Coordinates of all heavy atoms in Angstrom, one line a residue:
M1 N 53.8 -30.3 48.3 CA 54.8 -31.3 48.6 C 55.3 -31.0 50.0 O 55.3 -29.9 50.5 CB 55.9 -31.3 47.6 CG 56.9 -32.4 47.8 SD 57.9 -32.8 46.4 CE 56.7 -33.1 45.2
F2 N 55.9 -32.1 50.6 CA 56.3 -32.0 52.0 C 57.6 -32.7 52.2 O 57.9 -33.7 51.6 CB 55.3 -32.6 53.0 CG 53.9 -32.0 52.8 CD1 53.0 -32.5 51.9 CD2 53.5 -31.0 53.7 CE1 51.7 -32.0 51.8 CE2 52.3 -30.4 53.6 CZ 51.3 -30.9 52.6
V3 N 58.4 -32.1 53.1 CA 59.6 -32.8 53.7 C 59.3 -33.1 55.1 O 58.9 -32.2 55.9 CB 60.9 -31.9 53.6 CG1 62.0 -32.6 54.3 CG2 61.2 -31.5 52.2
V4 N 59.4 -34.4 55.5 CA 59.2 -34.8 56.8 C 60.5 -35.2 57.4 O 61.2 -36.1 56.9 CB 58.2 -36.0 56.9 CG1 57.9 -36.4 58.3 CG2 56.9 -35.7 56.1
S5 N 60.8 -34.6 58.5 CA 62.1 -34.9 59.3 C 61.7 -35.7 60.5 O 60.9 -35.1 61.4 CB 62.8 -33.6 59.6 OG 63.9 -33.9 60.4
L6 N 62.2 -36.9 60.6 CA 61.9 -37.7 61.8 C 63.2 -37.6 62.7 O 64.3 -37.8 62.2 CB 61.7 -39.2 61.4 CG 60.4 -39.6 60.8 CD1 60.4 -39.3 59.3 CD2 60.2 -41.1 61.0
T7 N 63.0 -37.4 64.0 CA 64.1 -37.4 64.9 C 63.8 -38.4 66.0 O 62.7 -38.3 66.6 CB 64.3 -36.0 65.5 OG1 64.5 -35.1 64.4 CG2 65.5 -36.0 66.4
Y8 N 64.7 -39.3 66.2 CA 64.5 -40.3 67.3 C 64.4 -39.6 68.7 O 65.3 -38.8 69.0 CB 65.6 -41.4 67.3 CG 65.6 -42.2 66.0 CD1 66.8 -42.6 65.5 CD2 64.5 -42.5 65.3 CE1 66.9 -43.4 64.3 CE2 64.5 -43.3 64.1 CZ 65.7 -43.7 63.6 OH 65.8 -44.4 62.5
K9 N 63.5 -40.0 69.5 CA 63.3 -39.5 70.8 C 63.9 -40.5 71.8 O 64.1 -40.1 73.0 CB 61.8 -39.4 71.1 CG 61.1 -38.4 70.3 CD 59.6 -38.4 70.4 CE 59.0 -38.3 71.8 NZ 57.6 -38.3 71.8
K10 N 64.2 -41.7 71.4 CA 64.7 -42.7 72.3 C 66.0 -43.3 71.7 O 66.3 -43.1 70.5 CB 63.7 -43.9 72.3 CG 62.3 -43.5 72.7 CD 62.2 -43.3 74.2 CE 60.8 -42.8 74.5 NZ 60.1 -43.6 75.4
P11 N 66.8 -44.0 72.5 CA 68.1 -44.6 71.9 C 67.8 -45.5 70.8 O 66.7 -46.1 70.8 CB 68.7 -45.3 73.2 CG 68.0 -44.7 74.4 CD 66.6 -44.2 73.9
I12 N 68.7 -45.7 69.9 CA 68.5 -46.6 68.8 C 68.1 -48.0 69.2 O 67.4 -48.6 68.4 CB 69.8 -46.6 67.8 CG1 69.5 -47.1 66.5 CG2 70.9 -47.3 68.5 CD1 68.6 -46.3 65.6
E13 N 68.5 -48.4 70.3 CA 68.2 -49.8 70.8 C 66.7 -49.9 71.0 O 66.1 -51.0 70.9 CB 68.9 -50.1 72.1 CG 70.4 -50.2 71.9 CD 71.1 -48.8 71.9 OE1 70.5 -47.8 72.5 OE2 72.2 -48.7 71.4
E14 N 66.0 -48.8 71.3 CA 64.6 -48.8 71.5 C 63.8 -48.5 70.2 O 62.6 -48.9 70.1 CB 64.2 -47.7 72.6 CG 64.7 -48.1 74.0 CD 64.2 -47.0 75.0 OE1 63.0 -46.6 75.0 OE2 65.1 -46.6 75.8
V15 N 64.5 -48.0 69.2 CA 63.9 -47.8 67.9 C 63.9 -49.0 67.1 O 62.9 -49.4 66.4 CB 64.7 -46.6 67.2 CG1 64.2 -46.5 65.7 CG2 64.6 -45.3 67.9
E16 N 65.0 -49.8 67.1 CA 65.2 -51.0 66.3 C 64.1 -52.0 66.3 O 63.7 -52.5 65.2 CB 66.5 -51.7 66.7 CG 67.8 -51.0 66.2 CD 68.1 -51.1 64.7 OE1 67.5 -52.0 64.1 OE2 68.8 -50.3 64.2
P17 N 63.5 -52.3 67.5 CA 62.4 -53.3 67.5 C 61.2 -52.9 66.6 O 60.4 -53.7 66.2 CB 62.0 -53.4 68.9 CG 63.2 -52.9 69.7 CD 63.8 -51.9 68.8
H18 N 61.1 -51.6 66.3 CA 59.9 -51.1 65.5 C 60.3 -50.9 64.0 O 59.5 -50.5 63.2 CB 59.5 -49.8 66.1 CG 59.1 -49.9 67.5 ND1 58.0 -50.5 68.0 CD2 59.9 -49.5 68.6 CE1 58.0 -50.4 69.3 NE2 59.1 -49.8 69.7
L19 N 61.6 -51.2 63.6 CA 62.0 -50.9 62.3 C 61.3 -51.7 61.2 O 60.9 -51.2 60.2 CB 63.5 -51.1 62.2 CG 64.2 -50.7 60.9 CD1 63.9 -49.2 60.6 CD2 65.7 -51.0 61.0
A20 N 61.1 -53.0 61.4 CA 60.4 -53.9 60.4 C 59.0 -53.3 60.1 O 58.6 -53.2 59.0 CB 60.4 -55.3 60.9
A21 N 58.3 -53.0 61.2 CA 56.9 -52.5 61.0 C 57.0 -51.1 60.3 O 56.1 -50.8 59.5 CB 56.2 -52.3 62.4
H22 N 58.0 -50.3 60.6 CA 58.1 -49.0 60.0 C 58.4 -49.2 58.5 O 57.8 -48.4 57.7 CB 59.3 -48.2 60.6 CG 59.6 -46.9 60.0 ND1 58.8 -45.8 60.0 CD2 60.7 -46.6 59.2 CE1 59.4 -44.9 59.3 NE2 60.6 -45.3 58.8
I23 N 59.2 -50.1 58.1 CA 59.5 -50.4 56.7 C 58.2 -50.9 56.0 O 58.0 -50.4 54.8 CB 60.6 -51.4 56.5 CG1 61.9 -50.7 57.0 CG2 60.8 -51.9 55.1 CD1 63.1 -51.7 57.2
C24 N 57.4 -51.7 56.6 CA 56.1 -52.1 56.0 C 55.2 -50.9 55.8 O 54.6 -50.8 54.8 CB 55.4 -53.1 56.9 SG 56.2 -54.8 56.8
Y25 N 55.2 -50.0 56.8 CA 54.4 -48.8 56.7 C 54.9 -47.9 55.5 O 54.1 -47.4 54.7 CB 54.5 -48.0 58.0 CG 54.2 -46.6 57.9 CD1 52.8 -46.1 58.0 CD2 55.2 -45.6 57.9 CE1 52.5 -44.8 57.9 CE2 54.9 -44.3 57.8 CZ 53.5 -43.9 57.8 OH 53.2 -42.5 57.8
L26 N 56.2 -47.8 55.4 CA 56.8 -47.0 54.3 C 56.3 -47.6 52.9 O 55.9 -46.9 52.0 CB 58.3 -47.0 54.3 CG 58.9 -46.2 55.5 CD1 60.4 -46.4 55.4 CD2 58.6 -44.7 55.4
D27 N 56.4 -49.0 52.8 CA 56.0 -49.7 51.6 C 54.6 -49.4 51.2 O 54.2 -49.1 50.1 CB 56.2 -51.2 51.7 CG 57.7 -51.6 51.8 OD1 58.6 -50.7 51.4 OD2 58.0 -52.7 52.2
E28 N 53.7 -49.4 52.2 CA 52.3 -49.1 52.0 C 52.1 -47.6 51.5 O 51.3 -47.4 50.6 CB 51.5 -49.3 53.3 CG 51.4 -50.7 53.7 CD 50.8 -50.9 55.1 OE1 50.3 -49.9 55.7 OE2 50.8 -52.0 55.6
C29 N 52.8 -46.7 52.1 CA 52.7 -45.3 51.7 C 53.3 -45.1 50.3 O 52.7 -44.3 49.5 CB 53.4 -44.4 52.7 SG 52.5 -44.3 54.3
Y30 N 54.3 -45.8 49.9 CA 54.8 -45.7 48.5 C 53.8 -46.3 47.6 O 53.6 -45.7 46.5 CB 56.2 -46.5 48.4 CG 57.4 -45.7 48.8 CD1 58.0 -46.0 50.0 CD2 57.9 -44.7 48.0 CE1 59.1 -45.3 50.4 CE2 59.0 -44.0 48.4 CZ 59.6 -44.3 49.6 OH 60.7 -43.6 50.0
A31 N 53.2 -47.4 47.9 CA 52.2 -48.0 47.0 C 51.0 -47.1 46.8 O 50.4 -47.1 45.7 CB 51.7 -49.4 47.6
K32 N 50.7 -46.3 47.8 CA 49.5 -45.4 47.7 C 49.9 -44.1 47.0 O 49.1 -43.2 46.7 CB 49.0 -45.0 49.1 CG 48.4 -46.2 49.8 CD 47.9 -45.8 51.2 CE 47.3 -47.0 51.9 NZ 47.0 -46.6 53.3
G33 N 51.2 -43.9 46.7 CA 51.7 -42.7 46.0 C 51.9 -41.5 46.9 O 52.1 -40.4 46.4
V34 N 51.9 -41.7 48.2 CA 52.1 -40.6 49.1 C 53.6 -40.3 49.3 O 54.0 -39.1 49.3 CB 51.5 -40.9 50.5 CG1 51.7 -39.8 51.5 CG2 50.0 -41.1 50.3
F35 N 54.4 -41.3 49.5 CA 55.9 -41.1 49.7 C 56.6 -41.2 48.4 O 56.3 -42.1 47.5 CB 56.4 -42.1 50.7 CG 55.9 -41.9 52.1 CD1 56.2 -42.8 53.1 CD2 55.2 -40.8 52.5 CE1 55.8 -42.6 54.4 CE2 54.7 -40.6 53.8 CZ 55.0 -41.5 54.7
I36 N 57.6 -40.3 48.2 CA 58.4 -40.2 47.0 C 59.8 -40.7 47.2 O 60.4 -41.4 46.3 CB 58.4 -38.8 46.4 CG1 56.9 -38.4 46.1 CG2 59.3 -38.6 45.2 CD1 56.8 -36.9 45.9
A37 N 60.3 -40.4 48.3 CA 61.7 -40.8 48.7 C 61.8 -40.8 50.2 O 61.1 -40.1 50.9 CB 62.7 -39.9 48.1
S38 N 62.7 -41.6 50.7 CA 62.9 -41.7 52.2 C 64.3 -42.3 52.4 O 64.9 -42.9 51.6 CB 61.8 -42.5 52.9 OG 61.8 -43.8 52.4
G39 N 64.8 -42.0 53.6 CA 66.1 -42.6 54.0 C 66.5 -42.1 55.4 O 65.9 -41.3 56.0
R40 N 67.6 -42.7 55.9 CA 68.1 -42.4 57.2 C 69.0 -41.1 57.2 O 69.6 -40.8 56.2 CB 69.1 -43.5 57.7 CG 68.4 -44.8 57.9 CD 69.4 -45.9 58.3 NE 68.7 -47.1 58.6 CZ 69.3 -48.3 58.8 NH1 70.6 -48.3 58.7 NH2 68.6 -49.3 59.0
K41 N 68.9 -40.4 58.3 CA 69.8 -39.3 58.5 C 71.2 -39.8 58.8 O 71.4 -40.9 59.3 CB 69.4 -38.4 59.7 CG 68.1 -37.6 59.4 CD 67.7 -36.8 60.6 CE 66.5 -36.0 60.5 NZ 66.1 -35.3 61.7
V42 N 72.2 -39.0 58.5 CA 73.6 -39.3 58.8 C 74.2 -38.2 59.7 O 74.2 -37.1 59.2 CB 74.5 -39.5 57.6 CG1 75.9 -39.8 57.9 CG2 73.9 -40.6 56.7
P43 N 74.5 -38.4 60.9 CA 74.5 -39.7 61.6 C 73.0 -40.2 61.8 O 72.1 -39.4 61.7 CB 75.2 -39.4 62.9 CG 75.0 -38.0 63.2 CD 74.9 -37.3 61.8
R44 N 72.9 -41.4 62.3 CA 71.6 -42.1 62.4 C 70.8 -41.6 63.6 O 70.7 -42.3 64.6 CB 71.7 -43.6 62.4 CG 70.4 -44.3 62.2 CD 70.7 -45.8 62.1 NE 69.4 -46.5 62.1 CZ 69.2 -47.8 62.3 NH1 70.3 -48.5 62.5 NH2 68.0 -48.3 62.2
T45 N 70.2 -40.4 63.4 CA 69.4 -39.8 64.5 C 68.0 -39.7 64.1 O 67.2 -39.2 64.8 CB 69.9 -38.4 64.8 OG1 69.9 -37.6 63.5 CG2 71.4 -38.4 65.3
G46 N 67.6 -40.3 62.9 CA 66.2 -40.3 62.5 C 66.2 -40.5 61.0 O 67.1 -41.2 60.4
G47 N 65.3 -39.9 60.3 CA 65.1 -40.1 58.9 C 64.5 -38.9 58.2 O 64.0 -37.9 58.9
V48 N 64.4 -39.0 56.9 CA 63.7 -37.9 56.1 C 62.8 -38.6 55.1 O 63.2 -39.6 54.5 CB 64.8 -37.0 55.4 CG1 64.1 -36.0 54.5 CG2 65.7 -36.4 56.4
I49 N 61.6 -38.0 54.9 CA 60.7 -38.5 53.9 C 60.2 -37.3 53.0 O 59.9 -36.3 53.5 CB 59.4 -39.1 54.6 CG1 59.8 -40.3 55.5 CG2 58.4 -39.5 53.5 CD1 58.6 -40.7 56.4
L50 N 60.2 -37.6 51.7 CA 59.7 -36.6 50.8 C 58.3 -37.2 50.4 O 58.2 -38.3 50.0 CB 60.5 -36.5 49.5 CG 60.1 -35.5 48.4 CD1 60.1 -34.1 49.0 CD2 61.1 -35.6 47.3
A51 N 57.2 -36.3 50.6 CA 55.9 -36.8 50.5 C 55.0 -35.9 49.7 O 55.2 -34.7 49.6 CB 55.3 -37.0 51.8
K52 N 53.9 -36.4 49.1 CA 52.9 -35.6 48.4 C 51.6 -36.1 49.1 O 51.3 -37.2 49.2 CB 52.8 -35.9 46.9 CG 54.0 -35.4 46.1 CD 53.8 -35.6 44.7 CE 53.1 -34.4 44.1 NZ 53.1 -34.5 42.6
A53 N 50.8 -35.1 49.4 CA 49.5 -35.4 50.1 C 48.5 -34.2 49.7 O 49.0 -33.1 49.3 CB 49.6 -35.5 51.6
E54 N 47.2 -34.5 49.9 CA 46.2 -33.5 49.6 C 46.4 -32.2 50.4 O 46.1 -31.1 50.0 CB 44.8 -34.1 49.8 CG 44.4 -35.2 48.9 CD 43.1 -35.8 49.2 OE1 42.3 -35.1 50.0 OE2 42.8 -36.9 48.7
S55 N 46.8 -32.4 51.7 CA 47.0 -31.3 52.6 C 47.9 -31.7 53.7 O 48.2 -32.9 53.9 CB 45.6 -30.9 53.2 OG 45.1 -32.0 54.0
R56 N 48.3 -30.7 54.5 CA 49.2 -31.0 55.6 C 48.4 -31.9 56.6 O 49.0 -32.8 57.2 CB 49.6 -29.7 56.3 CG 50.5 -29.8 57.5 CD 50.8 -28.5 58.1 NE 51.9 -28.6 59.0 CZ 53.1 -28.2 58.8 NH1 53.4 -27.7 57.7 NH2 54.0 -28.4 59.7
A57 N 47.1 -31.6 56.8 CA 46.3 -32.4 57.8 C 46.2 -33.8 57.3 O 46.3 -34.7 58.1 CB 44.9 -31.8 57.9
A58 N 46.1 -34.0 56.0 CA 46.0 -35.4 55.5 C 47.3 -36.1 55.7 O 47.3 -37.3 56.2 CB 45.7 -35.4 54.0
L59 N 48.4 -35.4 55.5 CA 49.7 -36.1 55.7 C 50.0 -36.4 57.2 O 50.4 -37.4 57.6 CB 50.9 -35.2 55.2 CG 52.3 -35.7 55.4 CD1 52.5 -37.1 54.8 CD2 53.3 -34.7 54.9
E60 N 49.6 -35.4 58.0 CA 49.8 -35.6 59.5 C 48.9 -36.8 60.0 O 49.4 -37.6 60.8 CB 49.4 -34.4 60.3 CG 50.5 -33.3 60.1 CD 50.2 -32.0 60.7 OE1 49.0 -31.7 61.1 OE2 51.1 -31.1 60.7
A61 N 47.8 -37.0 59.4 CA 47.0 -38.2 59.8 C 47.7 -39.5 59.3 O 47.7 -40.5 60.0 CB 45.6 -38.1 59.1
I62 N 48.3 -39.5 58.1 CA 49.1 -40.6 57.7 C 50.3 -40.9 58.6 O 50.5 -42.0 58.9 CB 49.5 -40.4 56.2 CG1 48.3 -40.4 55.3 CG2 50.5 -41.4 55.7 CD1 48.5 -39.8 53.9
L63 N 50.9 -39.8 59.0 CA 52.1 -40.0 59.8 C 51.8 -40.6 61.2 O 52.6 -41.3 61.8 CB 52.9 -38.7 60.0 CG 53.5 -38.1 58.7 CD1 54.0 -36.7 58.9 CD2 54.6 -39.0 58.2
Q64 N 50.6 -40.3 61.7 CA 50.1 -40.8 62.9 C 50.0 -42.4 62.9 O 50.0 -43.0 64.0 CB 48.8 -40.3 63.3 CG 48.8 -38.8 63.6 CD 49.6 -38.5 64.9 OE1 49.5 -39.1 65.9 NE2 50.5 -37.5 64.8
Q65 N 50.0 -43.0 61.7 CA 49.9 -44.4 61.6 C 51.3 -45.1 61.5 O 51.4 -46.3 61.5 CB 49.2 -44.8 60.3 CG 47.7 -44.2 60.3 CD 47.1 -44.4 59.0 OE1 47.5 -45.2 58.1 NE2 46.1 -43.6 58.7
D66 N 52.4 -44.2 61.5 CA 53.7 -44.8 61.5 C 54.0 -45.5 62.8 O 53.8 -44.9 63.9 CB 54.7 -43.6 61.3 CG 56.2 -44.1 61.0 OD1 56.6 -45.1 61.6 OD2 56.9 -43.4 60.3
P67 N 54.5 -46.7 62.7 CA 54.8 -47.4 64.0 C 55.8 -46.7 64.9 O 55.7 -46.8 66.1 CB 55.5 -48.7 63.5 CG 54.8 -49.0 62.2 CD 54.6 -47.6 61.6
F68 N 56.7 -45.9 64.3 CA 57.6 -45.0 65.1 C 56.8 -44.0 65.9 O 57.1 -43.7 67.1 CB 58.6 -44.3 64.2 CG 59.7 -45.2 63.7 CD1 60.7 -44.6 62.9 CD2 59.9 -46.5 64.1 CE1 61.7 -45.4 62.4 CE2 61.0 -47.2 63.7 CZ 61.9 -46.7 62.8
C69 N 55.7 -43.5 65.3 CA 54.9 -42.5 66.0 C 54.0 -43.2 67.1 O 54.0 -42.8 68.2 CB 54.0 -41.8 65.0 SG 52.9 -40.6 65.8
I70 N 53.5 -44.4 66.7 CA 52.6 -45.1 67.6 C 53.4 -45.6 68.9 O 52.9 -45.5 70.0 CB 52.0 -46.3 66.9 CG1 51.0 -45.9 65.9 CG2 51.3 -47.3 67.9 CD1 50.6 -46.9 64.9
A71 N 54.7 -46.0 68.6 CA 55.5 -46.4 69.8 C 56.2 -45.2 70.5 O 56.9 -45.4 71.5 CB 56.6 -47.4 69.2
D72 N 56.0 -44.0 70.0 CA 56.5 -42.8 70.6 C 58.1 -42.8 70.7 O 58.7 -42.4 71.6 CB 55.9 -42.6 72.0 CG 56.1 -41.1 72.4 OD1 56.2 -40.2 71.6 OD2 56.3 -40.9 73.7
V73 N 58.7 -43.3 69.6 CA 60.2 -43.4 69.5 C 60.7 -42.3 68.6 O 61.9 -42.1 68.5 CB 60.7 -44.8 69.1 CG1 60.3 -45.8 70.2 CG2 60.3 -45.2 67.7
A74 N 59.8 -41.6 67.9 CA 60.3 -40.5 67.0 C 59.3 -39.4 67.0 O 58.1 -39.6 67.2 CB 60.5 -41.1 65.6
E75 N 59.8 -38.2 66.8 CA 59.0 -37.0 66.5 C 59.1 -36.6 65.1 O 60.1 -36.9 64.5 CB 59.3 -35.9 67.5 CG 60.7 -35.4 67.4 CD 61.1 -34.4 68.5 OE1 60.3 -34.2 69.4 OE2 62.1 -33.8 68.4
F76 N 58.1 -35.9 64.6 CA 58.0 -35.6 63.2 C 57.9 -34.1 63.0 O 57.1 -33.5 63.6 CB 56.8 -36.3 62.5 CG 56.8 -37.8 62.6 CD1 56.4 -38.4 63.8 CD2 57.1 -38.5 61.5 CE1 56.4 -39.8 63.9 CE2 57.1 -39.9 61.6 CZ 56.8 -40.5 62.8
E77 N 58.7 -33.5 62.1 CA 58.6 -32.1 61.7 C 58.2 -32.1 60.2 O 58.8 -32.8 59.4 CB 59.9 -31.4 61.9 CG 59.8 -29.9 61.4 CD 61.1 -29.2 61.4 OE1 62.2 -29.8 61.7 OE2 61.1 -28.0 61.1
V78 N 57.1 -31.5 59.9 CA 56.6 -31.4 58.6 C 56.8 -30.0 58.0 O 56.4 -29.0 58.6 CB 55.1 -31.7 58.5 CG1 54.5 -31.6 57.1 CG2 54.8 -33.1 59.1
I79 N 57.5 -30.0 56.8 CA 57.8 -28.7 56.1 C 57.1 -28.8 54.8 O 57.4 -29.7 54.0 CB 59.3 -28.5 55.9 CG1 60.0 -28.5 57.3 CG2 59.6 -27.2 55.2 CD1 61.5 -28.8 57.2
E80 N 56.2 -27.9 54.5 CA 55.5 -27.8 53.2 C 56.2 -26.9 52.3 O 56.7 -25.8 52.7 CB 54.1 -27.4 53.4 CG 53.2 -27.4 52.2 CD 51.8 -27.2 52.4 OE1 51.4 -26.9 53.5 OE2 51.0 -27.3 51.4
F81 N 56.4 -27.3 51.0 CA 57.0 -26.4 50.0 C 56.3 -26.7 48.7 O 55.7 -27.7 48.5 CB 58.5 -26.6 50.0 CG 59.0 -27.8 49.3 CD1 59.6 -27.7 48.0 CD2 58.9 -29.1 49.9 CE1 60.0 -28.8 47.4 CE2 59.3 -30.2 49.2 CZ 59.9 -30.1 48.0
V82 N 56.5 -25.7 47.8 CA 56.0 -25.8 46.4 C 57.2 -25.9 45.5 O 58.0 -24.9 45.3 CB 55.1 -24.6 46.0 CG1 54.7 -24.7 44.6 CG2 54.0 -24.5 47.0
P83 N 57.5 -27.1 44.9 CA 58.7 -27.2 44.0 C 58.4 -26.4 42.8 O 57.4 -26.5 42.2 CB 58.8 -28.7 43.7 CG 57.6 -29.4 44.3 CD 56.8 -28.3 45.1
T84 N 59.4 -25.6 42.4 CA 59.3 -24.8 41.2 C 60.4 -25.1 40.2 O 60.4 -24.6 39.0 CB 59.3 -23.3 41.5 OG1 60.5 -23.0 42.3 CG2 58.1 -22.9 42.3
K85 N 61.4 -25.9 40.6 CA 62.6 -26.2 39.7 C 63.1 -27.6 40.2 O 63.1 -27.9 41.4 CB 63.7 -25.1 39.9 CG 64.8 -25.2 38.8 CD 65.6 -24.0 38.8 CE 66.7 -24.0 37.8 NZ 66.2 -24.0 36.4
T86 N 63.5 -28.4 39.2 CA 64.1 -29.7 39.5 C 65.2 -30.0 38.6 O 65.4 -29.3 37.6 CB 63.0 -30.8 39.3 OG1 62.7 -30.9 37.9 CG2 61.8 -30.6 40.1
A87 N 66.0 -31.0 38.9 CA 67.0 -31.5 38.1 C 66.3 -32.2 36.9 O 65.2 -32.7 37.0 CB 67.9 -32.5 38.8
P88 N 67.0 -32.4 35.8 CA 66.4 -33.1 34.6 C 66.0 -34.5 35.0 O 66.6 -35.2 35.8 CB 67.6 -33.1 33.6 CG 68.4 -32.0 33.9 CD 68.3 -31.8 35.4
G89 N 64.8 -34.9 34.6 CA 64.2 -36.2 34.9 C 63.3 -36.2 36.1 O 62.6 -37.1 36.3
L90 N 63.3 -35.1 36.8 CA 62.4 -35.0 38.0 C 61.3 -33.9 37.8 O 60.7 -33.5 38.8 CB 63.2 -34.7 39.3 CG 64.3 -35.7 39.6 CD1 65.1 -35.3 40.8 CD2 63.6 -37.1 39.9
E91 N 61.1 -33.5 36.6 CA 60.1 -32.5 36.4 C 58.7 -32.8 36.9 O 57.9 -31.9 37.2 CB 60.0 -32.2 34.9 CG 61.2 -31.6 34.2 CD 62.3 -32.7 33.8 OE1 62.0 -33.9 34.0 OE2 63.4 -32.3 33.4
Q92 N 58.3 -34.1 37.0 CA 57.0 -34.5 37.5 C 56.8 -34.0 38.9 O 55.7 -34.0 39.4 CB 56.8 -36.0 37.3 CG 57.6 -36.8 38.2 CD 59.0 -37.2 37.8 OE1 59.5 -36.6 36.8 NE2 59.6 -38.2 38.4
L93 N 57.9 -33.6 39.6 CA 57.7 -33.2 41.0 C 57.2 -31.8 41.1 O 56.7 -31.3 42.1 CB 59.0 -33.3 41.8 CG 59.6 -34.7 41.9 CD1 60.9 -34.6 42.6 CD2 58.6 -35.6 42.7
I94 N 57.3 -31.0 40.0 CA 56.8 -29.6 40.0 C 55.3 -29.6 40.0 O 54.7 -30.2 39.1 CB 57.4 -28.8 38.8 CG1 58.9 -28.8 39.0 CG2 56.7 -27.5 38.8 CD1 59.6 -28.1 37.8
E95 N 54.7 -29.0 41.0 CA 53.2 -28.9 41.1 C 52.7 -27.7 40.3 O 53.3 -26.7 40.3 CB 52.8 -28.8 42.5 CG 53.2 -30.0 43.4 CD 52.8 -29.9 44.8 OE1 52.3 -28.8 45.2 OE2 53.0 -30.8 45.5
V96 N 51.7 -28.0 39.6 CA 51.0 -26.9 38.8 C 50.2 -26.0 39.8 O 49.4 -26.5 40.6 CB 50.1 -27.4 37.7 CG1 49.5 -26.3 37.0 CG2 50.9 -28.3 36.8
I97 N 50.5 -24.7 39.8 CA 49.8 -23.8 40.7 C 48.6 -23.2 40.0 O 48.6 -22.8 38.9 CB 50.7 -22.7 41.3 CG1 51.9 -23.4 42.0 CG2 50.0 -21.8 42.1 CD1 52.9 -22.4 42.5

């Protein structure tokens, strides 16, 4: 599992024109089962995505398709982790090792 931290590289006024395409991209990744949760940072300096992918390389290839990446308005930090404990109702996030 991965936590992806997006940080805007440009002022929000330069990010906004790419937001609709970014939301469509998110929807596609949710439909494929890659993204689990996502949202804006507070303050609005970027966003966070919780993702599942076969490998870090596979996820990085997917992230290269994000309109924010293509437009070079955000940078991405990928943190891989293995969930071992969850709140009740989220047990499906625990990966079998």
Side-chain angles (χ1 to χ4, degrees):
M1 183 159 306
F2 302 88
V3 175
V4 180
S5 176
L6 287 78
T7 303
Y8 298 143
K9 297 167 53 175
K10 306 281 175 120
I12 194 69
E13 298 80 23
E14 293 183 44
V15 174
E16 286 286 340
H18 307 284
L19 188 56
H22 173 71
I23 292 170
C24 288
Y25 161 81
L26 291 174
D27 290 344
E28 292 171 6
C29 290
Y30 277 105
K32 293 176 183 174
V34 176
F35 291 173
I36 299 166
S38 60
R40 294 178 177 169
K41 291 180 180 177
V42 177
R44 192 173 173 198
T45 58
V48 176
I49 300 169
L50 184 60
K52 288 184 90 170
E54 294 177 15
S55 67
R56 182 186 193 101
L59 178 60
E60 288 175 348
I62 291 167
L63 294 173
Q64 293 295 314
Q65 299 171 24
D66 187 326
F68 283 175
C69 181
I70 293 167
D72 197 31
V73 297
E75 60 187 9
F76 300 77
E77 177 186 6
V78 177
I79 302 164
E80 185 171 4
F81 77 107
V82 177
T84 56
K85 189 166 182 66
T86 65
L90 299 175
E91 295 85 3
Q92 70 276 14
L93 295 178
I94 297 176
E95 296 181 357
V96 179
I97 300 174

